[in-house]
Amino acid sequence: MTQAPEIPEATRRRHDREIVALAVPAFGALVAEPLFVMADSAIVGHLGTAQLAGLGVASALLTTAVSVFVFLAYATTAAVARRVGAGDRQGAIRQGMDGIWLALLLGVAVIAVVLPLAPRIVDLFGASTTAAPYATTYLRISSLGIPAMLMVLAATGVLRGLQDTKTPLYVAVAGFIANAALNVGLVYGAGLGIAGSAWGTVIAQCTMVAVYLTVVVRGARRHGASLRPDAAGIRASAQAGVPLLVRTLSLRAILMIATAVAARLGDADIAAHQIILSLWNLLAFALDAIAIAGQAIIGRYLGADDAEGARAACRRMVQWGIATGVVLGLLVVAARPLLLPLFTSDPAVTATALPALLVVALSQPVCGIVFVLDGVLMGAGDGPYLAGAMLVTLAVFVPAALLVPALGGGLTAVWAAMTLMMTVRMATLWWRSRSGRWLVTGATR
C-alpha cells in the first residue's frame, strides 16, 4: 500500500464493525465444515477398523477434489461484491447465478470421472485390500453429492459478496446437525453401514444447497434477475476462476511436498507433522475469516469506484491480521503443554513436535498478513497476480524443503521451510498491495 494519512478514528471504527460483522460468522462457518468429516469418522469408526480406514481414504479424496474448486467461492464473492458496490443488485445476483451454474457443470463432470474410476482411484492412493471395498463404496455414493458441494461453495460466495456471512453460518451448522442425525439413522438404524454414512452426507449437502438456492432465487425475483444459464457469464466465471485454481493447486502441492518430506524423516516425525499441520489448519480458520471479510469489503469499495476507501480498508485489515496472528501465536506458546497430549502420549512424538510448534507460533503474524492480503487481492479480482506469486513461492519452497533430509534436518527444519514459504508469499503480496495496481475500480474488472 502506498503511503497515506492516518485513518481517522471514525473510519477505523466503521471498518472494525464491518470486519467483525463479516469475519465472526465466516469463522463459525469455516469451523463447521470439517465437522462433517469428524462426525462421519466418529460414527463409522464404531463399525470397524477397515471401515474407518476406507472412510479415511475416500474422505481425503473428496476433500481434495472439493478444495481444488474453492475458487467457486472466492471468484464469485469478488465479482458479486463489485456489483453490489456499483449499486447493481440485479447484476450481482445474475453474476452469482453464473457461478452456481458453473459449479453444477463442474460437479457433473467430476461425477462422470469418479463413478467409473472409483476402484482405480482408491487403489492408486494405496488403500489396503480390506479397506478398499469400503473406500470405493463411500467414494461412489458421496461423489453423487459433489455437484451440491460445489454449488454450496458458489452460493456461499454469492452471499458473501452480498455482505451476508450469517446465512452461510446458519446453513453450515444446520447441515452439520442434519448430517450427524442422518448418519446415525442410516448407519445403525437402517443398517446400511458405511454406505449409510455416505448417503447421509449426500442428503445433507443436497439439503444445504436447496436452502441456498431458495435464498438466492428469492433475491433474484426481488431484484428481477434472470435465473437461466448464460453461456457468456458462465464462461467469464470460469475464466476468472482459472488463476485461482492455479493458486490453489500450487498451495496443495506445497502441503503435499511438506508431508512427503516429513514422511521420509521417520515415524515420529510424520506423526508429529500431522499434529502440527492439524493445528496450523485450525489457526488458519481464524485468519481466513478476516480474509473472507476482505474479499467482500474490498470488492464492494472497488465496485463503488472508491479506491481510497479500499486502500484504507486494506490497511485496517492488515492491522487486524497482524494483531490476530500475534494473539494466536501467544496462545499456541501458552497452550503447548496442553495441546500435544491431546494428540499423542508418545514422548518421542511430543519431543519432535514441540520445537516445530514453536516455529508455527512465531510465524503467525506473518500468516496473518498473508491471509489478509490474499483476501484483499481476491476481492480486487487480482487472480492472475495471485497465481504468478504462488508459482514463485512454490519454486522457492521446493528446493528448500528437499534440502531438509539431504542436510540432515528434522521436522523443525521442515516447518522452517514452511515459514520461508509464508514469508515469500508475504513479500510478494505486500509488494503488490503497495504498488496500488490492484486498485481497479468499476462494476467489473
Side-chain angles (χ1 to χ4, degrees), residues 262-335:
R264 287 187 176 188
L265 300 177
D267 290 346
D269 292 89
I270 186 59
H273 176 74
Q274 288 304 111
I275 294 171
I276 301 299
L277 186 60
S278 297
L279 292 171
W280 191 75
N281 286 329
L282 180 61
L283 296 170
F285 285 138
L287 299 173
D288 203 23
I290 304 174
I292 288 169
Q295 293 170 30
I297 293 170
I298 294 299
R300 193 190 73 229
Y301 272 114
L302 294 178
D305 293 323
D306 187 358
E308 284 307 311
R311 194 192 301 274
C314 176
R315 287 203 305 276
R316 189 56 178 164
M317 279 183 281
V318 168
Q319 292 169 2
W320 269 80
I322 295 171
T324 304
V326 169
V327 171
L328 291 175
L330 292 174
L331 286 174
V332 169
V333 172

Side-chain angles (χ1 to χ4, degrees), residues 59 66 104 191 195 206-207 226 242 272-273 299 301 305 336 404-405 410 418:
S59 63
V66 174
L104 176 60
C206 289
T207 303
S226 173
V242 168
H273 176 74
Y301 272 114
D305 293 323
R336 71 189 189 282
V404 170
M418 287 287 286

Side-chain angles (χ1 to χ4, degrees), residues 21-344:
L22 291 171
V24 172
F27 174 72
L30 289 169
V31 171
E33 289 171 7
L35 293 179
F36 272 84
V37 177
M38 291 178 62
D40 287 0
S41 299
I43 294 165
V44 171
H46 292 287
L47 293 174
T49 301
Q51 288 90 334
L52 184 59
L55 172 67
V57 172
S59 63
L61 289 168
L62 286 166
T63 300
T64 299
V66 174
S67 66
V68 163
F69 296 109
V70 74
F71 69 84
L72 289 165
Y74 294 159
T76 305
T77 297
V80 171
R82 274 184 176 269
R83 296 277 188 177
V84 169
D88 182 10
R89 201 86 172 179
Q90 181 188 77
I93 296 175
R94 173 66 263 178
Q95 190 96 43
M97 284 305 306
D98 292 335
I100 292 173
W101 280 112
L102 174 62
L104 176 60
L105 293 174
L106 290 172
V108 171
V110 173
I111 290 179
V113 173
V114 173
L115 273 181
L117 297 179
R120 294 183 183 180
I121 296 172
V122 167
D123 288 340
L124 182 64
F125 277 76
S128 67
T129 54
T130 55
Y134 296 111
T136 301
T137 297
Y138 190 93
L139 183 59
R140 273 183 166 156
I141 296 172
S142 293
S143 69
L144 299 176
I146 287 179
M149 294 178 193
L150 300 188
M151 290 171 74
V152 164
L153 285 176
T156 301
V158 175
L159 295 180
R160 288 173 181 171
L162 294 171
Q163 316 296 296
D164 176 10
T165 55
K166 290 183 180 179
T167 299
L169 170 61
Y170 300 149
V171 175
V173 171
F176 165 71
I177 295 171
N179 179 66
L182 285 165
N183 269 256
V184 171
L186 294 175
V187 171
Y188 297 110
L192 296 180
I194 195 169
S197 176
W199 280 117
T201 300
V202 170
I203 294 169
Q205 291 286 348
C206 289
T207 303
M208 289 172 66
V209 81
V211 174
Y212 275 124
L213 288 177
T214 299
V215 174
V216 174
V217 167
R218 284 178 180 173
R221 288 176 176 170
R222 187 162 56 248
H223 296 283
S226 173
L227 298 173
R228 294 179 180 179
D230 176 69
I234 294 172
R235 189 163 51 249
S237 294
Q239 289 171 347
V242 168
L244 296 180
L245 176 62
V246 172
R247 167 203 168 274
T248 301
L249 289 174
S250 299
L251 182 57
R252 296 294 301 184
I254 286 170
L255 296 177
M256 290 175 65
I257 290 168
T259 300
V261 171
R264 287 187 176 188
L265 300 177
D267 290 346
D269 292 89
I270 186 59
H273 176 74
Q274 288 304 111
I275 294 171
I276 301 299
L277 186 60
S278 297
L279 292 171
W280 191 75
N281 286 329
L282 180 61
L283 296 170
F285 285 138
L287 299 173
D288 203 23
I290 304 174
I292 288 169
Q295 293 170 30
I297 293 170
I298 294 299
R300 193 190 73 229
Y301 272 114
L302 294 178
D305 293 323
D306 187 358
E308 284 307 311
R311 194 192 301 274
C314 176
R315 287 203 305 276
R316 189 56 178 164
M317 279 183 281
V318 168
Q319 292 169 2
W320 269 80
I322 295 171
T324 304
V326 169
V327 171
L328 291 175
L330 292 174
L331 286 174
V332 169
V333 172
R336 71 189 189 282
L338 302 174
L339 286 174
L340 294 178
L342 292 175
F343 294 91
T344 182

Side-chain angles (χ1 to χ4, degrees), residues 280 283-284 287-288 321-322 325 328 359-374 415 418-419 421-423 425-426 429:
W280 191 75
L283 296 170
L287 299 173
D288 203 23
I322 295 171
L328 291 175
V359 172
V360 169
L362 291 172
S363 70
Q364 286 309 294
V366 172
C367 293
I369 296 172
V370 169
F371 274 82
V372 167
L373 291 180
D374 204 41
W415 278 94
M418 287 287 286
T419 300
M421 178 270 293
M422 293 301 288
T423 303
R425 287 187 71 189
M426 181 183 70
L429 297 174

